[in-house]
Amino acid sequence: MARIRHDLNTIYISGRLQESLRPVSHCALTAIVAPMGYGKTTAVNWFLAREAPPHCIRISVYSAHLAILWRSAQEAFAHAGFPFLRDYDCPVDAAGAGLLADGLCRGLAGPEPCYLFLDDFHLLADARVADFLCTLANRLPENVHLIVAGRDRFLPADAQLRLGIRLHRIGAEQLRLGREELAIYARRCGAALSESQLTALLTSTEGWFSAVYLNLRSLAERGTLADGNSDIYAMFTAAMLDPLPQRTQEFLAVLGLADEFTAEMARFVTEEPETEQLLGALTAQNAFASLLPDGVTYRFHHMMKACAAQVFRTLPEPRQRACRARYGRWYAAHGQMLHAMDSFRRCGDYASLLDAVTQDAGILLSTLDPALVLSALEECPKDALLAHPLAILVLMRCMFNWSRIPKMLELRELLQSALDAHPELPPNERGNLLGECDLILSFLSYNDISAMSRLHRSASSKMTRPAITIRRSGGWTFGSPSVLMMFHRTPGALEAELSEMDECMPHYYRVTNGHGRGAEQIMRAEALLLQCRFADAHIALERDRSTGPLQESMALCCDLLALRLSLFRDVSLPYTREQRNAGLVRQHNAAWLPIFYAICAYYDALRGDTERIPELFRLHRLDTVHILAPGRPMYDMIENQVWLAQGEYARLIGRSEALLAACARFPYALVALHVRIQTAAAYAQLGKRAEAEALLEQALADAAPDGLILPFAENYRYLAPLLENRPDTQAIAELGRLSEARRTRPAALAGLTPRELELADLLAQRLTNREIAGRLGLSEGSVKQYLNQLYAKLHIDGDTRRKRQELAVLLKQPG
């Protein structure tokens, strides 16, 4: 058989495959699915090189970890000239995915073609990503084309149906070599095979490109085809690695640990002075080692990585540990902390691993599977932990986030042991460590202001620097749209809770760089609102806004306060709903949008505007959103209000018992108050007066000590028959009627004051001036004065009878 003399790295794309690739430029999503070694990546690279699109974004998947993929995606987009992806957090729920999809469609849309190539998708075992890609493909602008290559089918049948002609599929049948194609490829590689040899090669390889290549490589190196009984890895090792000098084999073995690498990185981790020459020779002679289109980054094919790993395991243990340690140092120096932690763990360098944990401060660490972190902790020598108290604090915070409280407390004891073991620590640093420990422990007393305050004061007295485990960029309210709902836990204790917040929060701000600043003022403003002290609440709201830019979670609490206040008092909002939503979208933070939707849903439900309620609540899709446990009862209560507005009274009643139990666990006295009122309203609408009255009595008893009126008045339209004839609820009934009048008032009355609106409502009931005076506790002269102001504002002239007639016409106009 003839030996091969020509370039084995020649790229061959059969005419049949070329035709299969042609539709890629017209489809939103191309799915290329075939086993390893069928040339998926090569085919896409050939197509993209031929198309030469002005914008091409390439992302390779290297692990099942979503955070690693996200970092790769951000870098790939930035390299392609689209840095906007760096503004987004990795999406964890449908809201985040929707925000990202919107951003991608806006950011990539344009007159020029743009290709997004996601390779080795099979390594990402997360069905949510496949769902996202299908959703994205249905929304992409016409100039954007998504190519996804992997070994396994990832598109569900229903997704394929929805995509229709926007989907193009390429499989192993299009990628494999047929008999004539095999002959052409062999000739291009320099091998003139006989018919019988072609038949034998086709039979043994079944057109599998990698197997064909390795056979031809074996023929070039040894004059014979590879052993047909060998598996593909044995064939690869025999054809590609065994002929190489020992030095080159070790060079490959070490680099096989990396997903991608640059020449600079390769020189650092291999300590090879002739790195550039070796890489140049490899990419020229080996189709399984390639320089990526950026001209800087190298990548090994998975087959080569697998075989290189086998060689690496034959190296002496000290050499293996030294190589992994150098990898860890490289990754840590370049901010790839998850890679660094993994490398240090594998080489047993736990001191460096804990340094990386400290440097990460729990940002990426918290995205890992808790079981993986706990396993690493079990392996970590106690002496290493004792020498890294800051790492212990980071791990404590992660354990709290993962609800691993026993382990968190165990680490707390370890921190004390670490301090005892190092008496040489400066007093300032000892105080900072103990203070931050107090701060972390305070979360265990969440919503118990007294208990939290004791720990915050303790932290403040000890610390001389801000905490490292709490970042101001994060949210403060666990997703709740209300501070008062979070911290009012005992009926009758509201004033004490407000005082404790006033005393507690300055200490917390001092050690967290102002995290959540303004919470105590917002909580007091909310309390004034619920007591229906509208003027005071309005003043407090404006004072909160005037103190400077608030953290977004605090600003959102102000939004809810302002919208609830507007149901009873004229409040000028600083922006329209559409402007506020657009501003939140521009921040690319998916955590804020569900809070804003909750605020809007509550307001719309109170107004009875069920069509305007955001889809997340209108269609009851809260299960698609990641909601932190402390914020969940607030969302469920708001969803209750939506069920009430939609007339789903039985469904609301059926949910409420479980929701009240959840409120008791925290405890959330204010959320429970709302739920009881909502449930009483639902019973009343179903004609079950006894059940409604029992719940209303309990709610009134809970609200009375703190003077909370607003939740009853907000639900007046449902509770009116229960409230009207009770002497102790007349104030609620009057506010309820006012709210209903404002809710249904015509647009022409928008500029009237609450008192003027009240007068207009009484006039509509055809009451005389004397009757109005008696109802409002005014003199008839005062009533006439108010009426004259009312008519003047509405530009109504004529005698009294005509004025009343024109006002009646205005009141009948739609709002």
Side-chain angles (χ1 to χ4, degrees), residues 266-450:
R267 189 183 311 107
F268 181 86
V269 298
T270 64
E271 297 183 309
E272 171 56 66
E274 298 182 6
T275 290
E276 285 79 2
Q277 295 91 316
L278 288 172
L279 287 174
L282 277 172
T283 52
Q285 301 170 10
N286 191 324
F288 294 90
S290 57
L291 178 63
L292 298 183
D294 64 7
V296 175
T297 309
Y298 293 84
R299 182 188 184 203
F300 286 169
H301 189 279
H302 287 286
M303 195 181 305
M304 186 168 181
K305 282 173 63 67
C307 293
Q310 292 180 359
V311 176
F312 183 81
R313 286 193 288 271
T314 67
L315 299 179
E317 281 293 326
R319 170 108 165 107
Q320 291 185 42
R321 288 195 298 273
C323 289
R324 291 194 182 277
R326 285 196 295 276
Y327 266 109
R329 291 197 295 275
W330 174 270
Y331 288 134
H334 291 80
Q336 295 177 263
M337 305 315 299
L338 292 182
H339 287 81
M341 293 176 207
D342 181 65
S343 297
F344 288 134
R345 181 187 181 189
R346 289 177 182 272
C347 71
D349 186 354
Y350 286 96
S352 296
L353 168 61
L354 293 170
D355 285 337
V357 167
T358 303
Q359 188 176 340
D360 175 64
I363 296 171
L364 293 174
L365 184 66
S366 62
T367 68
L368 291 177
D369 180 351
L372 182 66
V373 179
L374 287 167
S375 175
L377 263 178
E378 291 300 317
E379 299 169 4
C380 185
K382 185 176 180 181
D383 288 347
L385 279 166
L386 293 175
H388 290 80
L390 276 173
I392 295 175
L393 286 173
V394 172
L395 291 166
M396 281 180 65
R397 180 64 194 273
C398 288
M399 294 303 157
F400 173 79
N401 291 342
W402 294 326
S403 299
R404 304 298 177 104
I405 305 307
K407 191 65 179 179
M408 174 187 175
L409 297 176
E410 182 183 321
L411 287 167
R412 164 66 182 88
E413 296 304 315
L414 191 65
L415 176 67
Q416 187 59 57
S417 298
L419 296 177
D420 294 342
H422 295 281
E424 75 282 359
L425 273 176
N428 277 1
E429 184 54 22
R430 185 178 296 272
N432 285 327
L433 293 167
L434 288 171
E436 188 154 358
C437 180
D438 286 341
L439 194 59
I440 295 170
L441 290 174
S442 74
F443 296 124
L444 295 178
S445 301
Y446 164 69
N447 109 320
D448 182 344
I449 306 172
S450 296

Side-chain angles (χ1 to χ4, degrees), residues 8 100 216 253 272 286 301 345 358 367 481 509 523 576 595 634 766 770 812:
L8 277 166
L100 176 59
L216 296 179
E272 171 56 66
N286 191 324
H301 189 279
R345 181 187 181 189
T358 303
T367 68
Y509 299 149
M523 182 173 168
T576 67
I595 305 176
M634 291 73 159
R766 299 185 177 182
R770 177 176 294 181
K812 291 178 182 177

